[in-house]
Amino acid sequence: MSSSRAENALLVAGKTLSVAMMVAGFLFLLGPIVIVVISSFTSASYLTFPPPEFSLRWYYEVFSLSWFSRSIVTSFVIAIIATAISAVLGILVARALARGTFRAKAIVEFVVLTPLLLPIVVLGFGLFNLLVTLALEGHNFVNLIGGHIMITVPFVVRSVWSAMAGTDITLEEASLGLGATPFETFRNVVLPMARPGIISGGILAFTMSFNDVSLSIFLTGPRASTLPVEMMAHIEYSADPTPAAISTIMLAITLIIFAVTSRTVGLKIFA
Amino acid sequence: MLSATQRNWALSLPAFVIVGLLAVVPAVMMLASAFTSPDIEGFTLANFEKLWNSKLAFQAFWRTIRVAIIVTLITIVLGYPLAIGFLRAGPRMQSILLPMLVFPLMVSVVVRAYGWIVVLSPSGIFNQVLLGLGIVASPVDLLYSETAVILGESQLLLPYMVLSLMASLQKAESNLEEASMSLGANPVTTFFRIVIPISVPGLLTGTLLVFALALTAFATPLLLGGGRAPLLTTLIYSFAFTTFDWSAAAAVGLVLVILALAFVWLQRWVGQKVMKSYE
């Protein structure tokens, strides 16, 4: 019997250890984020944890910063425009890739998905190089939109393509056979069936565009800059708690997108 | 009426042209410029020779690989308990844990790196704990070091490892474990003989994914390593904007692309092999 008791002890020890390691893993994953949120409500003029007293001081400070209001608006506008254009481009090409068996399919697929293969820093520096050669590097806003479209299109293509590939082609044939035009069929049959893929692709594209640094850092300039790039610059030359307050604001925005995601298409799209 | 081929081309053309002109053409032109130099006419390997002789570039190359390996190992060690714990939890618990696992993936990389700046700074909680426990006499300067980069990237990429492991462990039935235990194997034996082998496909995809993402991470090493621990990605940036040596930046870019593409290729090759052996 003693061996089974030893085994039981081992089992309990193993269970305790695995729970402890799991807690440690989640602390590692979420601890720094939680600490930033708590630190942002400090009354001190430098970062301390725990804060000596709680105050909203740094939030007032953040909303009075002109670069913050400017760059958060720019980030939203760029993310919305880039997502919308990426969605249209992505849906069209996904349609061709999902249903078509044309000779150039492999080339189209390769080109459209290239941004997934290359490091984003390389794409950013490459685009920056070309823009300098063409003397177009000053048009920060347009360049950022173009760049963001380029890195987000593959995400839309992948999720819309897989959604379209899973749909029943006979429904389209039925629609055409019953006298609907190809355009009506596309609008009323094909698009609704691909809806989950379109929503997932759109959410991924928006998140990616809103958070991007690796590409945007090469394209921002005096005319337009995004929030993550501006925040990064601020972190590098100043030690006050404003980035903590900005981080908390960005976390709140992320939480909203996150809630929308889990209500609509589910969290599996990130897995 | 358009033919099917014409229609497919018409559908593909906008995305094809835009991604081609903004991603493929500029990247290829930039990588080709690694073989040119403002001082030399025509094709040259001068930039690569310069990198080869540069201590900074050499260190950045090995640091990039070292960081990627250590980050992958950390995510494996932390990933298994998380994946196994998640799958053993009840459905209620799972519905709480999954958002906690996926949410960090959506959070800005800058925010996550900033979290480590707050934690690791001289007056941060990490040093407070060490000082309070009497482990160190004065604050440890961990920020702007390779260690900080490793910590930041591990936190960044841990969810990918956990999700990959979960995907393969999920397929295995938990009664396989129960069978092993009831047939007399102890939990340790069960873990190494049953759980680990079942998770191999997930471990492989997770490892390759985390490694590839660690190789190309940019904002985390820039914020947490600064100039003191440059990686290939941050070296491109500092060559481009600090020393304005664009040919050198292009050469570093080419090295990085070769590393990254080798991994993509390895990923596909392993993927096919694993698929076949588990069919």
Side-chain angles (χ1 to χ4, degrees):
Chain A
M1 278 322 265
S2 75
S3 84
S4 98
R5 197 179 299 158
E7 216 161 81
N8 257 336
L10 198 64
L11 201 69
V12 171
K15 271 219 165 110
T16 317
L17 186 72
S18 65
V19 169
M21 285 188 77
M22 197 171 159
V23 172
F26 273 113
L27 267 182
F28 180 70
L29 207 54
L30 299 167
I33 299 175
V34 174
I35 287 171
V36 167
V37 172
I38 297 172
S39 317
S40 73
F41 294 100
T42 188
S43 59
S45 52
Y46 51 93
L47 272 171
T48 44
F49 189 85
E53 253 179 278
F54 287 100
S55 95
L56 291 175
R57 178 183 168 188
W58 294 104
Y59 288 88
Y60 290 116
E61 173 74 21
V62 163
F63 284 106
S64 70
L65 291 169
S66 63
W67 66 260
F68 171 76
S69 350
R70 217 179 323 127
S71 61
I72 195 173
V73 172
T74 310
S75 274
F76 265 113
V77 172
I78 287 175
I80 291 167
I81 298 177
T83 305
I85 298 177
S86 277
V88 174
L89 297 177
I91 291 167
L92 295 180
V93 73
R95 168 75 177 163
L97 291 170
R99 284 284 178 259
T101 44
F102 54 122
R103 233 185 308 162
K105 187 172 160 179
I107 301 167
V108 170
E109 184 188 339
F110 177 77
V111 167
V112 170
L113 297 182
T114 297
L116 292 176
L117 292 179
L118 297 176
I120 296 184
V121 187
V122 168
L123 295 170
F125 184 54
L127 183 54
F128 172 71
N129 255 317
L130 181 69
L131 291 168
V132 170
T133 312
L134 302 172
L136 290 171
E137 79 275 17
H139 303 275
N140 306 123
F141 188 74
V142 179
N143 295 346
L144 280 165
I145 289 180
H148 284 209
I149 291 171
M150 169 259 282
I151 54 168
T152 54
V153 158
F155 289 93
V156 179
V157 173
R158 270 208 313 204
S159 46
V160 177
W161 185 0
S162 68
M164 281 178 172
T167 57
D168 191 351
I169 196 164
T170 53
L171 288 173
E172 282 173 49
E173 288 163 357
S175 166
L176 290 169
L178 290 169
T181 65
F183 178 73
E184 283 169 339
T185 305
F186 186 71
R187 199 187 54 192
N188 300 326
V189 179
V190 177
L191 277 187
M193 286 199 296
R195 217 177 100 105
I198 296 169
I199 297 173
S200 317
I203 290 171
L204 287 172
F206 186 90
T207 317
M208 177 149 196
S209 164
F210 192 76
N211 287 335
D212 175 74
V213 173
S214 317
L215 178 93
S216 306
I217 204 164
F218 290 97
L219 306 175
T220 54
R223 296 216 185 120
S225 189
T226 64
L227 183 57
V229 172
E230 285 297 302
M231 188 175 142
M232 197 147 132
H234 189 81
I235 293 171
E236 274 174 308
Y237 65 73
S238 149
D240 69 24
T242 43
I246 299 175
S247 296
T248 308
I249 295 166
M250 288 181 80
L251 280 165
I253 297 167
T254 313
L255 206 57
I256 295 170
I257 306 172
F258 185 73
V260 171
T261 311
S262 61
R263 287 281 157 83
T264 50
V265 280
L267 298 178
K268 290 270 188 274
I269 64 165
F270 292 99
Chain B
M1 239 358 228
L2 291 171
S3 77
T5 310
Q6 281 170 325
R7 200 201 57 194
N8 285 327
W9 262 114
L11 290 170
S12 307
L13 212 57
F16 182 77
V17 170
I18 287 186
V19 178
L21 286 182
L22 297 180
V24 183
V25 171
V28 169
M29 278 173 66
M30 185 272 282
L31 295 173
S33 77
F35 299 102
T36 63
S37 162
D39 323 315
I40 304 161
E41 220 167 289
F43 176 88
T44 172
L45 287 173
N47 298 309
F48 295 96
E49 216 179 297
K50 206 160 61 183
L51 287 187
W52 184 259
N53 293 321
S54 148
K55 209 179 155 204
L56 179 73
F58 227 82
Q59 282 176 338
F61 177 81
W62 288 115
R63 189 180 291 115
T64 302
I65 293 178
R66 186 167 61 233
V67 166
I69 292 173
I70 298 173
V71 165
T72 309
L73 291 176
I74 291 178
T75 59
I76 292 171
V77 171
L78 290 174
Y80 266 106
L82 284 177
I84 293 169
F86 180 87
L87 292 173
R88 287 199 184 146
R92 266 186 82 95
M93 195 63 188
Q94 282 190 352
S95 66
I96 299 168
L97 294 179
L98 185 66
M100 285 167 59
L101 194 63
V102 178
F103 178 67
L105 285 178
M106 284 182 80
V107 174
S108 158
V109 178
V110 178
V111 171
R112 282 187 276 172
Y114 184 68
W116 287 103
I117 294 181
V118 174
V119 169
L120 298 176
S121 73
S123 62
I125 188 165
F126 181 75
N127 271 308
Q128 282 179 37
V129 170
L130 287 189
L131 289 168
L133 294 174
I135 298 173
V136 292
S138 58
V140 204
D141 195 9
L142 267 184
L143 212 51
Y144 313 121
S145 68
E146 197 176 309
T147 314
V149 176
I150 291 171
L151 283 172
E153 285 192 15
S154 302
Q155 183 217 24
L156 198 68
L157 303 174
L158 178 59
Y160 292 110
M161 180 62 78
V162 178
L163 291 168
S164 306
L165 289 174
M166 266 162 57
S168 62
L169 284 170
Q170 216 154 23
K171 284 185 204 132
E173 313 212 6
S174 69
N175 37 21
L176 210 58
E177 269 177 73
E178 280 163 31
S180 158
M181 303 270 257
S182 69
L183 288 170
N186 67 39
V188 180
T189 317
T190 307
F191 182 76
F192 284 104
R193 302 286 292 272
I194 306 289
V195 178
I196 296 274
I198 286 171
S199 66
V200 164
L203 180 65
L204 277 174
T205 50
T207 299
L208 292 169
L209 183 63
V210 168
F211 195 91
L213 291 171
L215 278 182
T216 57
F218 173 70
T220 310
L222 196 60
L223 278 167
L224 297 176
R228 276 202 247 164
L231 301 182
L232 288 177
T233 49
T234 52
L235 199 60
I236 297 177
Y237 181 70
S238 62
F239 275 152
F241 289 121
T242 316
T243 53
F244 296 101
D245 190 346
W246 291 8
S247 317
V252 179
L254 189 64
V255 173
L256 184 65
V257 165
I258 291 171
L259 270 180
L261 287 184
F263 252 83
V264 171
W265 174 81
L266 190 66
Q267 217 165 342
R268 289 196 177 153
W269 184 77
V270 169
Q272 282 165 359
K273 285 267 157 182
V274 170
M275 288 293 198
K276 254 180 213 149
S277 65
Y278 277 82
E279 254 163 22

